[in-house]
Amino acid sequence: MGTVVLAADSLNADRPVALKRVTDAAPETLAAEFEALSGLSHPNIAGVIDVGWDASPGTAADGAPGGAWLAQRFIDGSPLREAAAEATQDQATELLADLLRALEYLHGRGLVHGDLKPENVLVAHDTGRAVLLDFGLCRRSGTRLLGLSGTLAYAAPEVIAEDPMRPARDLYAFGLLATEVLTGRHPFAGLTGGELLKAQLHEVPRPASELRPGLSPLLDAWLASLVEKRERDRPASARAALLELQAAVGRSLEEEPATTLRSAVQTGSIFGRSAVLGRGAALWRDPDALQPSALCLEGPTASGKTRALSELAAVAVVEGVQVVRATGGSGALLEPIAHWLVGLHGARTAIDGARDRWDAVERSVAAILDAASASPRPVLLILDDLDQADPSTRDVVRLLAARLAFLKGPAADAARPKLSLLLAETPDAARGQGQDVDRVALESLSEATVRTWLGELFGADGIGEELPPTVYALTGGRPGDVVALLCALADARQITRVDGGLGVNTAGLPPPSRRTW
């Protein structure tokens, strides 16, 4: 069983988060949900923050993880049914458009939600937008789940047949949900068990106009197209369904927010960084290798250090590693180390009880090693912007890396902590860490890699000959600058939806010969 409670993120100014806990399901269930969501950023999707496993009361005697938890962005909102009951038809269609945009984004990244229903949608109080929740059954398209997955009342025939997951199953569930939003009633209301199973497989749902007399025949036909029994008879995509909705209501729905266009270019695959990601993952996958247990990513501003750290953190969490992140940005005395200590065992007493600065450094290192040794899982400590950290924090990192190197050497024993450090800083600030920290330089991307990246976003035929060299010339191949440029184009509405994908208008961009780096 599971529960969702409102909690505070003590590592981030006590910001509110929705904490989902499961007590009798395998931790892999939440790990899969985190993996599906960790690379996504969209205003109509509740993003994830972290996932973990507690060694709580009732834990097995061998120290295996206890209850699993998932922290998500907290949405202060109303359940979809409640919001729809008070909405006008125009407002209701805007909510449906929000959900179709979320599905378009999700499907465009090769994912299928797998459990779309009103209970998994909130309408945010501050924006009035619909937000999709609960990605516990979200999987890559083509994945086959055994048994009936999801909720029978919204299950497409292919779900009952245990066919591989495809986007069409989400559109079927959306059609039933949309009928409820527009009429207040489920087409198969009152049916349960075998009767409902038979209806989903063979019966045509009651027309929405019977559930709500006076509903437009065009909306009636649109809803019916979504719940066709054969996948090929439904709209070809969420984008197609959105365009058909606009035609059915006879007006253009509210212009797509720039934030959703930004989402399309801010997330996705990291290009040109496979070697870096592989070296980082080796920290916990191959802890007995000869290389140091500390790795520092070096690169100038906008080289993609933070993005690489985030990608590695997500992979580590999914693989069962306890990850604690901090940043040296504030420069406050030992603040990043305090974040590590609180994340490891909930207290910063090693710092607060110290006699002086060096005593705080020594006590912090000892406390971190003790906590890592007691953890039933490998531990990965991440520190971004190390160059902006205070000298004491850098001393802790240096001493901790040296201790880990010693424990890994000839004097090592089986009790050494499964602890790794993953750091990031600018090259000109790199100092004082010595041979105990391995270093990887994040070079700028080549023009060919930038071309591949843009081709992934806009299609090989959609980027033309001028866009890749222009983007490369303006950004120098720095990933952060590429994303910033694309976001600026999205804000200026020069990135638009075209035939279910993205199109880009390069008008106003300087020619490739004008280099800015």
Side-chain angles (χ1 to χ4, degrees):
M1 296 295 291
T3 57
V4 179
V5 298
L6 177 62
D9 183 356
S10 60
L11 297 181
N12 289 281
D14 288 334
R15 65 175 172 178
V17 297
L19 192 69
K20 178 179 179 180
R21 285 189 172 276
V22 294
T23 55
D24 62 352
E28 294 78 27
T29 301
L30 290 188
E33 184 170 354
F34 181 85
E35 183 175 24
L37 283 170
S38 60
L40 304 183
S41 175
H42 192 279
N44 301 118
I45 291 175
V48 292
I49 299 168
D50 201 0
V51 70
W53 296 262
D54 289 334
S56 52
T59 294
D62 62 359
W69 55 264
L70 178 80
Q72 287 187 282
R73 175 168 65 98
F74 171 67
I75 306 298
D76 182 16
S78 301
L80 178 61
R81 284 198 184 96
E82 180 182 311
E86 300 174 355
T88 66
Q89 182 171 300
D90 284 351
Q91 291 170 334
T93 54
E94 294 291 352
L95 295 177
L96 296 178
D98 286 340
L99 291 177
L100 285 171
R101 291 186 186 111
L103 290 178
E104 178 186 16
Y105 176 83
L106 200 66
H107 296 165
R109 275 148 183 76
L111 296 170
V112 178
H113 184 275
D115 196 19
L116 186 60
K117 57 184 177 180
E119 289 85 353
N120 288 339
V121 179
L122 287 177
V123 178
H125 290 152
D126 57 347
T127 64
R129 298 283 183 187
V131 182
L132 187 56
L133 315 169
D134 199 339
F135 288 73
L137 291 177
C138 184
R139 297 291 188 276
R140 287 280 166 193
S141 183
T143 301
R144 187 188 296 273
L145 297 179
L146 299 179
L148 176 62
S149 61
T151 304
L152 180 58
Y154 301 89
E158 62 268 22
V159 175
I160 298 170
E162 300 182 22
D163 289 347
M165 296 181 74
R166 289 182 288 269
R169 70 168 57 190
D170 281 346
L171 293 181
Y172 184 94
F174 172 80
L176 296 174
L177 174 152
T179 301
E180 282 193 75
V181 167
L182 293 172
T183 71
R185 298 177 63 187
H186 190 289
F188 296 134
L191 301 183
T192 59
E195 290 180 336
L196 180 56
L197 187 71
K198 179 182 177 182
Q200 296 287 33
L201 284 171
H202 306 296
E203 295 181 16
V204 176
R206 290 179 62 188
S209 55
E210 288 186 14
L211 302 175
R212 182 181 174 182
L215 191 71
S216 158
L218 293 176
L219 272 176
D220 211 355
W222 175 71
L223 291 167
S225 73
L226 289 160
V227 292
E228 290 283 358
K229 299 302 181 185
R230 295 186 302 184
E231 295 179 62
R232 65 176 181 269
D233 294 332
R234 299 171 206 155
S237 65
R239 181 66 180 173
L242 178 58
L243 295 176
E244 291 169 13
L245 174 59
Q246 289 189 148
V249 298
R251 66 183 179 87
S252 293
L253 296 172
E254 183 177 321
E255 186 177 24
E256 182 175 15
T259 50
T260 66
L261 293 172
R262 277 174 158 260
S263 299
V265 301
Q266 285 177 312
T267 57
S269 302
I270 296 181
F271 289 88
R273 297 288 186 249
S274 57
V276 173
L277 298 179
R279 173 64 187 91
L283 288 172
W284 66 87
R285 290 176 180 168
D286 190 14
D288 296 323
L290 294 178
Q291 66 261 24
S293 297
L295 175 68
C296 185
L297 309 184
E298 293 182 357
T301 301
S303 61
K305 299 186 296 295
T306 299
R307 178 65 191 279
L309 292 180
S310 296
E311 181 77 5
L312 284 166
V315 173
V317 166
V318 169
E319 295 183 5
V321 178
Q322 181 182 2
V323 178
V324 185
R325 297 187 63 168
T327 179
S330 74
L333 180 65
L334 288 172
E335 182 175 328
I337 307 306
H339 273 66
W340 280 355
L341 291 169
V342 171
L344 283 172
H345 53 64
R348 47 172 289 160
T349 52
I351 296 174
D352 295 336
R355 298 186 304 274
D356 52 40
R357 186 185 79 87
W358 189 249
D359 186 44
V361 169
E362 289 276 8
R363 286 164 56 94
S364 295
V365 170
I368 289 170
L369 291 172
D370 287 346
S373 297
S375 175
R377 297 182 287 130
V379 174
L380 176 66
L381 299 181
I382 297 178
L383 180 53
D384 198 0
D385 296 328
L386 175 60
D387 48 293
Q388 299 179 36
D390 64 287
S392 295
T393 291
R394 297 184 67 88
D395 284 339
V396 170
V397 171
R398 177 183 55 78
L399 184 57
L400 193 55
R403 295 276 174 85
L404 289 174
F406 174 77
L407 292 172
K408 205 171 188 178
D413 58 38
R416 67 180 175 86
K418 293 173 288 186
L419 173 65
S420 303
L421 307 181
L422 184 58
L423 319 165
E425 65 180 350
T426 56
D428 56 344
R431 58 185 185 275
Q433 305 308 324
Q435 62 182 5
D436 300 322
V437 177
D438 200 4
R439 297 187 176 276
V440 175
L442 297 187
E443 305 290 348
S444 294
L445 304 180
S446 68
E447 184 175 332
T449 301
V450 171
R451 179 180 291 275
T452 301
W453 184 355
L454 296 175
E456 184 81 8
L457 283 173
F458 304 111
D461 296 331
I463 58 176
E465 291 300 321
E466 291 297 314
L467 183 62
T470 298
V471 170
Y472 181 73
L474 292 173
T475 64
R478 294 179 296 273
D481 287 341
V482 173
V483 171
L485 176 59
L486 294 175
C487 285
L489 291 174
D491 291 342
R493 300 289 175 177
Q494 289 181 250
I495 291 178
T496 56
R497 301 287 178 182
V498 178
D499 297 329
L502 291 175
V504 58
N505 176 8
T506 59
L509 287 178
S513 59
R514 180 181 169 185
R515 298 185 180 272
T516 60
W517 50 280

